[in-house]
Amino acid sequence: MKPKLLVLASTFPGTPGDGTPAFVLDLALQQARAFDVTVLTPMVPGAAKSETLYSKDGTLQIQVQRFRYWFRATEDLAAGAILDNLKARKSRFLQVPLLLHGLFWGTRKFVSQQQPAAIHAHWVIPQGILATLAAPKVPLLVTTHGGDIYALNHPILLRLKRFVFARAAAITTVNSQMKAQLVAWGQPENKISLLPMGVDTQSVGAIADLASKVPGQLLVVGRLVEKKGIEYLFDAMRLLQGKGKFVPDGSSGTLQVIGDGPIRAELQKRATGLPVKFLGQRGRDEVMQAIAHSEVMVIPSVTAANGDQEGLPVTLLEGGAGKICVVASALPGIDEVIETGVSGILVPQRDAQALADSLERVMQDAGLRQRLAEGIARSVERFDITTIGDGYNKVLLDLISSTTQRRNAQ
């Protein structure tokens, strides 16, 4: 019988193809190779309270339990990114204490009834904090994704994060800079594993192999929030308009923007006069098709005013697996995937001129686009979901074993 694993996450698809990032789901299905997995996550509109989800081949399954915490008509705090939702509508702050209450008691109830061998908390705030308080005797793995390291560093929140990290049995993080920050906060280096999220590289690559590129088509995928830096891409496009690129009739290329978020209206206004199509939130299949048909993926990410920035965008890994040429900001995590001239092009963040120059270069040179696309496909092979899943399962099995040995020795 497999040991039981409880996975805690606040970002999780509510229904198939709803556009919510599925990296927790993908990893949980890989964890099901070694564990009996249950995911505990907040309710979102249209989702089932309890369901069984399967891998594509039907050989792996996980249980999903969603807890209610608010009135059904407006229970939407966890539909997407919680922090972005709070910025978009301040009244959602009323949902916060009840969501925390539901997560705490849901965790405690599951632990009491099912006695899991370990808990895997995605994000230190709030999942890591509440897992530490609700189930202090259960071995805890905390995974940090970006915002929970780079942002939320008010002295009180920082103290809470250090409290959780000190009590966690193991920590994983998605880039080297974040690992260094954890060490600077006093965590032993051997307690931290560098394990990003993964993608199904073979499936994504197969879609790309069957597709034909749309000449001049650029693509951006992600939440429409400050740290994505999309306005700098618009500035770069305007610079290129002076050279006859990106004219409104679309004859020299179109940018497709997939995603939604609190600054969508502002971005649409800033895109006036540019050939930009805002497609809104799209399911995974549509995103993979967009990657396959576009010539260039642009990731113009920046460090936001509150310090938040990318950890390692899953979109970048999906683009790499989909064999697309990528032009991106030179930020930690991203620069661990892209080497300029080999697997993409990196530009300084917020530098519209450098971004324009790089876009012009790759758009004019089909051979370069092809070489960079092949290079990034090789670069992301190490992020295949099976490989990443093996890494997480090893960390969890090791922490369970070491915890058992320590308890037996007492």
mmCIF file of all heavy atoms in Angstrom, residues 74-104:
data_model
loop_
_atom_site.group_PDB
_atom_site.id
_atom_site.type_symbol
_atom_site.label_atom_id
_atom_site.label_comp_id
_atom_site.label_asym_id
_atom_site.label_seq_id
_atom_site.Cartn_x
_atom_site.Cartn_y
_atom_site.Cartn_z
ATOM 1 N N THR A 74 -20.316 34.318 -4.755
ATOM 2 C CA THR A 74 -19.139 35.179 -4.828
ATOM 3 C C THR A 74 -17.892 34.520 -4.232
ATOM 4 O O THR A 74 -16.951 35.203 -3.851
ATOM 5 C CB THR A 74 -19.402 36.507 -4.100
ATOM 6 O OG1 THR A 74 -19.850 36.236 -2.753
ATOM 7 C CG2 THR A 74 -20.447 37.334 -4.829
ATOM 8 N N GLU A 75 -17.867 33.212 -4.193
ATOM 9 C CA GLU A 75 -16.733 32.476 -3.633
ATOM 10 C C GLU A 75 -15.637 32.348 -4.702
ATOM 11 O O GLU A 75 -15.428 31.305 -5.308
ATOM 12 C CB GLU A 75 -17.210 31.084 -3.189
ATOM 13 C CG GLU A 75 -16.231 30.321 -2.324
ATOM 14 C CD GLU A 75 -16.848 29.008 -1.860
ATOM 15 O OE1 GLU A 75 -17.484 28.313 -2.683
ATOM 16 O OE2 GLU A 75 -16.697 28.672 -0.676
ATOM 17 N N ASP A 76 -14.901 33.446 -4.919
ATOM 18 C CA ASP A 76 -13.992 33.498 -6.059
ATOM 19 C C ASP A 76 -12.585 33.960 -5.700
ATOM 20 O O ASP A 76 -11.785 34.275 -6.580
ATOM 21 C CB ASP A 76 -14.562 34.423 -7.135
ATOM 22 C CG ASP A 76 -14.776 35.853 -6.631
ATOM 23 O OD1 ASP A 76 -14.539 36.124 -5.443
ATOM 24 O OD2 ASP A 76 -15.210 36.698 -7.443
ATOM 25 N N LEU A 77 -12.239 33.988 -4.432
ATOM 26 C CA LEU A 77 -10.924 34.482 -4.029
ATOM 27 C C LEU A 77 -9.798 33.651 -4.636
ATOM 28 O O LEU A 77 -8.761 34.187 -5.029
ATOM 29 C CB LEU A 77 -10.812 34.467 -2.498
ATOM 30 C CG LEU A 77 -9.476 34.924 -1.905
ATOM 31 C CD1 LEU A 77 -9.148 36.343 -2.342
ATOM 32 C CD2 LEU A 77 -9.502 34.818 -0.383
ATOM 33 N N ALA A 78 -10.001 32.331 -4.736
ATOM 34 C CA ALA A 78 -8.949 31.439 -5.233
ATOM 35 C C ALA A 78 -9.096 31.121 -6.713
ATOM 36 O O ALA A 78 -8.410 30.234 -7.226
ATOM 37 C CB ALA A 78 -8.930 30.152 -4.418
ATOM 38 N N ALA A 79 -9.973 31.827 -7.416
ATOM 39 C CA ALA A 79 -10.143 31.602 -8.861
ATOM 40 C C ALA A 79 -9.064 32.375 -9.604
ATOM 41 O O ALA A 79 -9.238 33.523 -10.011
ATOM 42 C CB ALA A 79 -11.527 32.046 -9.304
ATOM 43 N N GLY A 80 -7.905 31.757 -9.782
ATOM 44 C CA GLY A 80 -6.753 32.433 -10.346
ATOM 45 C C GLY A 80 -5.720 32.662 -9.262
ATOM 46 O O GLY A 80 -5.442 31.774 -8.462
ATOM 47 N N ALA A 81 -5.148 33.857 -9.210
ATOM 48 C CA ALA A 81 -4.134 34.200 -8.220
ATOM 49 C C ALA A 81 -4.762 35.043 -7.121
ATOM 50 O O ALA A 81 -5.378 36.083 -7.391
ATOM 51 C CB ALA A 81 -2.985 34.959 -8.877
ATOM 52 N N ILE A 82 -4.610 34.611 -5.871
ATOM 53 C CA ILE A 82 -5.270 35.276 -4.747
ATOM 54 C C ILE A 82 -4.849 36.739 -4.629
ATOM 55 O O ILE A 82 -5.693 37.636 -4.483
ATOM 56 C CB ILE A 82 -4.998 34.519 -3.440
ATOM 57 C CG1 ILE A 82 -5.761 33.181 -3.443
ATOM 58 C CG2 ILE A 82 -5.403 35.351 -2.227
ATOM 59 C CD1 ILE A 82 -5.541 32.333 -2.212
ATOM 60 N N LEU A 83 -3.545 37.020 -4.687
ATOM 61 C CA LEU A 83 -3.091 38.400 -4.521
ATOM 62 C C LEU A 83 -3.631 39.303 -5.617
ATOM 63 O O LEU A 83 -4.031 40.447 -5.361
ATOM 64 C CB LEU A 83 -1.559 38.453 -4.488
ATOM 65 C CG LEU A 83 -0.886 37.861 -3.243
ATOM 66 C CD1 LEU A 83 0.631 37.966 -3.363
ATOM 67 C CD2 LEU A 83 -1.361 38.568 -1.977
ATOM 68 N N ASP A 84 -3.660 38.803 -6.843
ATOM 69 C CA ASP A 84 -4.204 39.599 -7.945
ATOM 70 C C ASP A 84 -5.698 39.835 -7.758
ATOM 71 O O ASP A 84 -6.204 40.927 -8.048
ATOM 72 C CB ASP A 84 -3.966 38.884 -9.277
ATOM 73 C CG ASP A 84 -2.491 38.759 -9.598
ATOM 74 O OD1 ASP A 84 -1.713 39.572 -9.079
ATOM 75 O OD2 ASP A 84 -2.130 37.846 -10.361
ATOM 76 N N ASN A 85 -6.406 38.834 -7.275
ATOM 77 C CA ASN A 85 -7.841 38.985 -7.041
ATOM 78 C C ASN A 85 -8.121 40.018 -5.956
ATOM 79 O O ASN A 85 -9.093 40.775 -6.034
ATOM 80 C CB ASN A 85 -8.453 37.637 -6.656
ATOM 81 C CG ASN A 85 -8.511 36.675 -7.832
ATOM 82 O OD1 ASN A 85 -8.512 37.092 -8.981
ATOM 83 N ND2 ASN A 85 -8.555 35.385 -7.539
ATOM 84 N N LEU A 86 -7.285 40.048 -4.936
ATOM 85 C CA LEU A 86 -7.456 41.039 -3.874
ATOM 86 C C LEU A 86 -7.216 42.452 -4.394
ATOM 87 O O LEU A 86 -7.918 43.392 -4.020
ATOM 88 C CB LEU A 86 -6.507 40.727 -2.721
ATOM 89 C CG LEU A 86 -6.818 39.467 -1.909
ATOM 90 C CD1 LEU A 86 -5.698 39.179 -0.918
ATOM 91 C CD2 LEU A 86 -8.144 39.608 -1.167
ATOM 92 N N LYS A 87 -6.232 42.605 -5.267
ATOM 93 C CA LYS A 87 -5.970 43.922 -5.848
ATOM 94 C C LYS A 87 -7.127 44.372 -6.732
ATOM 95 O O LYS A 87 -7.473 45.548 -6.776
ATOM 96 C CB LYS A 87 -4.677 43.884 -6.662
ATOM 97 C CG LYS A 87 -3.414 43.732 -5.831
ATOM 98 C CD LYS A 87 -2.194 43.652 -6.727
ATOM 99 C CE LYS A 87 -0.922 43.448 -5.928
ATOM 100 N NZ LYS A 87 0.267 43.305 -6.807
ATOM 101 N N ALA A 88 -7.726 43.413 -7.430
ATOM 102 C CA ALA A 88 -8.794 43.758 -8.372
ATOM 103 C C ALA A 88 -10.064 44.175 -7.657
ATOM 104 O O ALA A 88 -10.805 45.036 -8.158
ATOM 105 C CB ALA A 88 -9.074 42.569 -9.289
ATOM 106 N N ARG A 89 -10.342 43.564 -6.493
ATOM 107 C CA ARG A 89 -11.564 43.923 -5.759
ATOM 108 C C ARG A 89 -11.309 43.807 -4.264
ATOM 109 O O ARG A 89 -11.149 42.711 -3.722
ATOM 110 C CB ARG A 89 -12.738 43.021 -6.170
ATOM 111 C CG ARG A 89 -14.080 43.612 -5.752
ATOM 112 C CD ARG A 89 -15.246 42.876 -6.388
ATOM 113 N NE ARG A 89 -15.467 41.583 -5.771
ATOM 114 C CZ ARG A 89 -15.740 40.470 -6.447
ATOM 115 N NH1 ARG A 89 -15.779 40.493 -7.769
ATOM 116 N NH2 ARG A 89 -15.957 39.337 -5.825
ATOM 117 N N LYS A 90 -11.243 44.950 -3.598
ATOM 118 C CA LYS A 90 -10.879 44.992 -2.189
ATOM 119 C C LYS A 90 -11.872 44.249 -1.307
ATOM 120 O O LYS A 90 -11.512 43.758 -0.236
ATOM 121 C CB LYS A 90 -10.766 46.451 -1.723
ATOM 122 C CG LYS A 90 -9.734 47.276 -2.467
ATOM 123 C CD LYS A 90 -8.333 46.702 -2.334
ATOM 124 C CE LYS A 90 -7.305 47.593 -3.035
ATOM 125 N NZ LYS A 90 -5.943 47.000 -2.986
ATOM 126 N N SER A 91 -13.126 44.145 -1.746
ATOM 127 C CA SER A 91 -14.120 43.452 -0.914
ATOM 128 C C SER A 91 -13.774 41.981 -0.710
ATOM 129 O O SER A 91 -14.274 41.346 0.218
ATOM 130 C CB SER A 91 -15.508 43.573 -1.551
ATOM 131 O OG SER A 91 -15.546 42.940 -2.823
ATOM 132 N N ARG A 92 -12.902 41.434 -1.565
ATOM 133 C CA ARG A 92 -12.507 40.033 -1.404
ATOM 134 C C ARG A 92 -11.697 39.804 -0.131
ATOM 135 O O ARG A 92 -11.515 38.663 0.294
ATOM 136 C CB ARG A 92 -11.704 39.569 -2.622
ATOM 137 C CG ARG A 92 -12.538 39.418 -3.897
ATOM 138 C CD ARG A 92 -11.747 38.671 -4.961
ATOM 139 N NE ARG A 92 -12.533 38.435 -6.158
ATOM 140 C CZ ARG A 92 -12.360 39.048 -7.322
ATOM 141 N NH1 ARG A 92 -11.405 39.982 -7.437
ATOM 142 N NH2 ARG A 92 -13.108 38.755 -8.364
ATOM 143 N N PHE A 93 -11.173 40.869 0.460
ATOM 144 C CA PHE A 93 -10.443 40.695 1.721
ATOM 145 C C PHE A 93 -11.329 40.060 2.791
ATOM 146 O O PHE A 93 -10.832 39.416 3.722
ATOM 147 C CB PHE A 93 -9.886 42.037 2.213
ATOM 148 C CG PHE A 93 -8.557 42.395 1.618
ATOM 149 C CD1 PHE A 93 -8.471 43.233 0.525
ATOM 150 C CD2 PHE A 93 -7.390 41.875 2.151
ATOM 151 C CE1 PHE A 93 -7.250 43.560 -0.032
ATOM 152 C CE2 PHE A 93 -6.148 42.197 1.608
ATOM 153 C CZ PHE A 93 -6.082 43.046 0.501
ATOM 154 N N LEU A 94 -12.642 40.243 2.672
ATOM 155 C CA LEU A 94 -13.557 39.622 3.624
ATOM 156 C C LEU A 94 -13.510 38.100 3.552
ATOM 157 O O LEU A 94 -13.821 37.412 4.531
ATOM 158 C CB LEU A 94 -14.987 40.110 3.369
ATOM 159 C CG LEU A 94 -15.250 41.601 3.580
ATOM 160 C CD1 LEU A 94 -16.651 41.962 3.110
ATOM 161 C CD2 LEU A 94 -15.070 41.967 5.050
ATOM 162 N N GLN A 95 -13.123 37.574 2.395
ATOM 163 C CA GLN A 95 -13.063 36.125 2.239
ATOM 164 C C GLN A 95 -11.802 35.514 2.851
ATOM 165 O O GLN A 95 -11.761 34.314 3.135
ATOM 166 C CB GLN A 95 -13.113 35.751 0.748
ATOM 167 C CG GLN A 95 -14.384 36.177 0.026
ATOM 168 C CD GLN A 95 -14.397 35.710 -1.419
ATOM 169 O OE1 GLN A 95 -14.004 34.589 -1.709
ATOM 170 N NE2 GLN A 95 -14.853 36.568 -2.317
ATOM 171 N N VAL A 96 -10.777 36.332 3.038
ATOM 172 C CA VAL A 96 -9.474 35.811 3.443
ATOM 173 C C VAL A 96 -9.523 35.025 4.753
ATOM 174 O O VAL A 96 -9.069 33.872 4.815
ATOM 175 C CB VAL A 96 -8.430 36.939 3.517
ATOM 176 C CG1 VAL A 96 -7.138 36.428 4.140
ATOM 177 C CG2 VAL A 96 -8.163 37.495 2.122
ATOM 178 N N PRO A 97 -10.042 35.601 5.863
ATOM 179 C CA PRO A 97 -10.014 34.843 7.119
ATOM 180 C C PRO A 97 -10.808 33.541 7.045
ATOM 181 O O PRO A 97 -10.424 32.539 7.674
ATOM 182 C CB PRO A 97 -10.608 35.818 8.144
ATOM 183 C CG PRO A 97 -11.321 36.850 7.350
ATOM 184 C CD PRO A 97 -10.602 36.959 6.063
ATOM 185 N N LEU A 98 -11.887 33.536 6.277
ATOM 186 C CA LEU A 98 -12.679 32.313 6.177
ATOM 187 C C LEU A 98 -11.981 31.268 5.313
ATOM 188 O O LEU A 98 -12.084 30.064 5.583
ATOM 189 C CB LEU A 98 -14.063 32.637 5.627
ATOM 190 C CG LEU A 98 -14.914 33.519 6.547
ATOM 191 C CD1 LEU A 98 -16.243 33.864 5.894
ATOM 192 C CD2 LEU A 98 -15.154 32.829 7.884
ATOM 193 N N LEU A 99 -11.256 31.696 4.285
ATOM 194 C CA LEU A 99 -10.463 30.745 3.509
ATOM 195 C C LEU A 99 -9.372 30.131 4.383
ATOM 196 O O LEU A 99 -9.149 28.912 4.353
ATOM 197 C CB LEU A 99 -9.845 31.433 2.293
ATOM 198 C CG LEU A 99 -9.083 30.523 1.317
ATOM 199 C CD1 LEU A 99 -9.214 31.023 -0.110
ATOM 200 C CD2 LEU A 99 -7.594 30.438 1.675
ATOM 201 N N LEU A 100 -8.708 30.948 5.177
ATOM 202 C CA LEU A 100 -7.667 30.434 6.071
ATOM 203 C C LEU A 100 -8.259 29.465 7.089
ATOM 204 O O LEU A 100 -7.662 28.417 7.397
ATOM 205 C CB LEU A 100 -6.964 31.595 6.778
ATOM 206 C CG LEU A 100 -6.263 32.618 5.878
ATOM 207 C CD1 LEU A 100 -5.614 33.704 6.720
ATOM 208 C CD2 LEU A 100 -5.242 31.947 4.976
ATOM 209 N N HIS A 101 -9.427 29.814 7.612
ATOM 210 C CA HIS A 101 -10.121 28.943 8.561
ATOM 211 C C HIS A 101 -10.434 27.598 7.923
ATOM 212 O O HIS A 101 -10.206 26.525 8.505
ATOM 213 C CB HIS A 101 -11.403 29.631 9.030
ATOM 214 C CG HIS A 101 -12.221 28.827 9.985
ATOM 215 N ND1 HIS A 101 -13.175 27.910 9.559
ATOM 216 C CD2 HIS A 101 -12.255 28.783 11.348
ATOM 217 C CE1 HIS A 101 -13.749 27.352 10.606
ATOM 218 N NE2 HIS A 101 -13.208 27.864 11.696
ATOM 219 N N GLY A 102 -10.940 27.638 6.680
ATOM 220 C CA GLY A 102 -11.293 26.405 5.989
ATOM 221 C C GLY A 102 -10.088 25.538 5.698
ATOM 222 O O GLY A 102 -10.146 24.305 5.827
ATOM 223 N N LEU A 103 -8.977 26.149 5.313
ATOM 224 C CA LEU A 103 -7.765 25.398 5.030
ATOM 225 C C LEU A 103 -7.193 24.769 6.299
ATOM 226 O O LEU A 103 -6.769 23.604 6.303
ATOM 227 C CB LEU A 103 -6.725 26.311 4.374
ATOM 228 C CG LEU A 103 -5.369 25.696 4.052
ATOM 229 C CD1 LEU A 103 -5.522 24.481 3.150
ATOM 230 C CD2 LEU A 103 -4.445 26.731 3.404
ATOM 231 N N PHE A 104 -7.197 25.530 7.397
ATOM 232 C CA PHE A 104 -6.675 25.017 8.668
ATOM 233 C C PHE A 104 -7.465 23.793 9.128
ATOM 234 O O PHE A 104 -6.892 22.734 9.408
ATOM 235 C CB PHE A 104 -6.729 26.113 9.741
ATOM 236 C CG PHE A 104 -6.302 25.651 11.103
ATOM 237 C CD1 PHE A 104 -4.973 25.679 11.474
ATOM 238 C CD2 PHE A 104 -7.238 25.180 12.025
ATOM 239 C CE1 PHE A 104 -4.576 25.249 12.739
ATOM 240 C CE2 PHE A 104 -6.857 24.749 13.287
ATOM 241 C CZ PHE A 104 -5.521 24.791 13.638
#
